[in-house]
Amino acid sequence: MRGPLDSARALVSAARRLYPLDSPIAAQLGELDRRLEGPLRIALVGSVKAGKSTLLNGLLGERIAPTDARECTRIVTRYHYGATPSVRAVLADGTPALLPARRQEDRLELALHGLSPAEFERLDVSWPAPGVRGLTFVDTPGTISVTQEASDQTDRFLLPEEGAAGADAVIYLLRSLHESDVQFLRALHERTRHGNAAIGAIAVLSRADELGGGRLTAMVSINEAVERLRQHSALQGVCETIVPVAGLLGAGASTLRQADFSVFRNLAARDPEETRQLMVSVERFLATRDEDLPSERVRADLVDRFGMYGIRLALATVRGGIDDAEQLSRELLRRSGLEELRRVVDVHFVQRQSELKAHSIVLAVHRLLRAHPVQGSDEVVVMADEHMAGAHTFAETRLLGRIAARRLSLSPTLLSELERLVGGRGASPEDRLGVERDGASAEELVESAARHLGRWRELTRNPLLDDETYRAAKIAERSCESLVVTLMGREQRTAINFG
Ligand SMILES: Nc1nc2c(ncn2[C@@H]2O[C@H](COP(=O)(O)OP(=O)(O)OP(=O)(O)O)[C@@H](O)[C@H]2O)c(=O)[nH]1
Ligand SMILES: [Mg+2]
C-alpha cells in the first residue's frame, strides 16, 4: 500500500515535470523534495516568556536553548542531532555563516559577533543530544514580541508567503488563554488547513507551577485550569489537545545529577520548620547565612535550574523516601508533566510524522501551482486535493483531543477502546488492537480488527447517539476499516513468504 510520503513524492515529481529545470519554481520544488526525506520539524511557539526555550531544554534533556533575556532568543533556531556540536547561521540576506559553539559547563553559549538579531534569518544548531535524534525542534521568538521584528520572524517562519510552513507540527505554549493566543492558533490552523488535514498542533499550559503560586498543592489548581481550557470553545478544532507542564522543573529533572541529589538530601535532613521558613521566598533562600547550608552559588544554581517549586517538591520527595538521583529525576519528571508531554508528542506527532510531513509539502506544492499555473498544473492540483482529502489520521488526532476533554458519552470501557483504536497508545496495528508485538498471528489480527469493525459499525446505527459520539464512532469505523486492509495485506505477504 502506498503511504503518504510516497504519494507526496509522486506529486512533487509530477509538479517538477511542469517547469523548466532552471526556473525558480523548480528550485523550490527541489527544496520540498529534500524536506520530505528530512526529519519531522516541531516548533515551540507562544508569547514572550511563555517558557518555550526552557521547555525545549527539557525535551532535549540538555541546556542548549538560551533562556531569559539573551539576544539569541529573538532568532528562530533549529536544533538537529549531530555527532559534533556546530552552529550555522543564515543571515537575513541569505548568506550562510559559521558561529563558534562554546560549551559553558553544561550549557551552550552563543555569540552573535556584534550582529543584531534582526540581521539573522535563522540559526541551525547541531548537538549530540539524544532528545533530538530523528527530529528537528525549532525554538521561536515570542509571537507578541516586545519587538515587532522578532514576532514577524516567527510569522514568516511558520506561515511564509510561499514554500512550506517552517514546521510540520507546533507545540503552542500558553500561560492563560488570551485573545492573541486564540488568534494565532486560528490563523495557524486556517492557513495550513486543506481537506481533512492541517498542521499538527498541541497546546501546553506552561509554567504550570506558577498557577498554584508554587505551592505543593499546585496540581489541583492546574488540573482545574486545564479542564476549563479543554472545554473552552475557542480552542476547539484549532489544537488537538492540551497538557499542563512545569517546564523549568522538567528541564531541571532531566539534567539532575548525583551532586544535585546530595544537596537536596542534605537540605531535606534539616529541621522541616526551619527549612520551610528558609523557602518562603527566593530572596530568603539565597540571602540566609548559615554554614550548614549549601554555598550561595549552589543555591542560586538550584533556583535557576529547578525554581522554588522544584526545590520544594524535590525536598518533599526525598523526605518521602526516595534515595537516589535516578529515582528522584524520574519522579520529578513525572510530576512536571514533561513525561506526559513526551507521550503526547509521540502519539500526536512522531508516530504520525509521515502524514504531517506529507501534508506540509503537499500544501506547499498546491499553493505553488496555484500561484504559478502552467499547462498541466490543474491536473496536479487535483492530485494534491485528493491526497489531502484522504488524510484520515488528522481526524483521529482531533478525536483524541475530544476524548481527553471528555466530550463523548460512551462507557469508560468503550472510551478506552476508542482511544486505543484511533492510535492514542501507538499507531501500529498491534498497539491499536491492544495485543503484544508478535503476540498474535496475522490471521488472528485480521479477525480481531474485523470484530472491532463490526462493533463500531453497529454503534453508528444506534439512533440515540448524540452528534459528537456518532462522529467519533464513524472515525473508529474508518480506522478499523483501514486496519483490516493493512492487516490483510500483511497476511497475504506472510502467506507468500511461507507458502
Ligand atoms: N516558575 C517557572 N518559571 C519558568 C518556567 N519555565 C520558564 N520559566 C522562567 O521564565 C523565564 C522565561 O523562560 P524562557 O524559557 O526564556 O521563555 P521563552 O518563551 O523562551 O521566552 P522568549 O524566547 O524570550 O519569548 C525564565 O526566567 C525561566 O526560568 C516554569 O515552568 N516555571
Ligand atoms: Mg526563548
Side-chain angles (χ1 to χ4, degrees), residues 437-448:
R437 279 196 196 199
D438 302 324
S441 68
E443 199 184 344
E444 285 165 342
L445 288 172
V446 174
E447 267 174 31
S448 164

Side-chain angles (χ1 to χ4, degrees), residues 127-407:
W127 202 260
V132 252
R133 244 181 225 281
L135 294 172
T136 293
F137 280 105
V138 192
D139 196 7
T140 64
T143 44
I144 325 155
S145 192
V146 252
T147 64
Q148 185 60 34
E149 261 166 23
S151 184
D152 287 350
Q153 268 217 2
T154 301
D155 285 357
R156 242 194 357 259
F157 166 78
L158 270 181
L159 304 165
E161 291 297 319
E162 276 207 344
D168 310 301
V170 163
I171 301 177
Y172 190 91
L173 284 80
L174 12 110
R175 295 180 68 189
S176 58
L177 194 58
H178 283 283
E179 188 48 34
S180 56
D181 297 315
V182 175
Q183 274 171 10
F184 190 90
L185 279 166
R186 255 196 217 137
L188 192 65
H189 186 75
E190 282 308 316
R191 289 179 53 187
T192 59
R193 187 168 64 93
H194 195 111
N196 253 332
I199 195 166
I202 54 187
V204 161
L205 181 63
S206 80
R207 302 177 65 163
D209 52 302
E210 292 175 325
L211 283 173
R215 284 186 301 276
L216 283 178
T217 50
M219 265 346 253
V220 179
S221 342
I222 295 162
N223 288 336
E224 283 171 8
V226 169
E227 215 42 55
R228 273 198 303 278
L229 283 176
R230 282 184 176 153
Q231 303 300 334
H232 207 298
S233 56
L235 288 178
Q236 239 101 100
V238 296
C239 70
E240 295 155 26
T241 191
I242 170 155
V243 277
V245 182
L248 187 61
L249 173 61
S254 52
T255 57
L256 189 140
R257 306 277 169 268
Q258 185 59 38
D260 304 314
F261 176 73
S262 304
V263 176
F264 285 132
R265 193 173 45 196
N266 291 343
L267 280 171
R270 292 167 58 91
D271 173 54
E273 183 48 31
E274 238 178 63
T275 319
R276 203 185 60 75
Q277 294 288 337
L278 179 72
M279 303 285 302
V280 162
S281 67
V282 178
E283 293 70 27
R284 188 173 302 177
F285 183 62
L286 294 181
T288 303
R289 286 174 191 272
D290 180 338
E291 279 187 0
D292 293 336
L293 282 175
S295 73
E296 274 168 41
R297 198 182 58 79
V298 168
R299 277 180 271 163
D301 179 60
L302 284 190
V303 172
D304 186 37
R305 288 175 47 219
F306 295 87
M308 290 306 273
Y309 174 70
I311 302 175
R312 285 191 194 110
L313 194 60
L315 296 186
T317 312
V318 173
R319 286 196 198 110
I322 275 188
D323 61 5
D324 73 53
E326 201 188 318
Q327 273 185 44
L328 180 62
S329 158
R330 220 176 308 128
E331 180 58 13
L332 296 183
L333 265 182
R334 192 182 66 75
R335 300 279 289 260
S336 70
L338 189 62
E339 196 178 86
E340 173 62 8
L341 176 65
R342 283 203 181 117
R343 189 192 69 78
V344 169
V345 165
D346 185 56
V347 164
H348 284 251
F349 297 164
V350 178
Q351 299 206 23
R352 293 182 155 91
Q353 54 181 306
S354 304
E355 285 85 357
L356 288 169
K357 272 200 299 187
H359 174 66
S360 308
I361 302 309
V362 172
L363 185 64
V365 173
H366 192 273
R367 292 215 173 122
L368 209 56
L369 297 187
R370 297 282 302 270
H372 307 276
V374 288
Q375 199 185 5
S377 56
D378 282 353
E379 284 81 7
V380 185
V381 167
V382 171
M383 264 172 86
D385 284 335
E386 281 168 359
H387 174 106
M388 290 187 279
H392 176 60
T393 179
F394 293 89
E396 290 184 327
T397 42
R398 282 196 294 272
L399 175 56
L400 284 174
R402 292 199 291 277
I403 297 172
R406 291 197 265 280
R407 293 168 60 90

Side-chain angles (χ1 to χ4, degrees), residues 47-54 67-68 73 140 142 207 209-210 246-248:
S47 55
V48 187
K49 303 284 168 258
K52 303 174 288 293
S53 308
T54 305
T67 55
D68 266 339
T73 63
T140 64
R207 302 177 65 163
D209 52 302
E210 292 175 325
L248 187 61

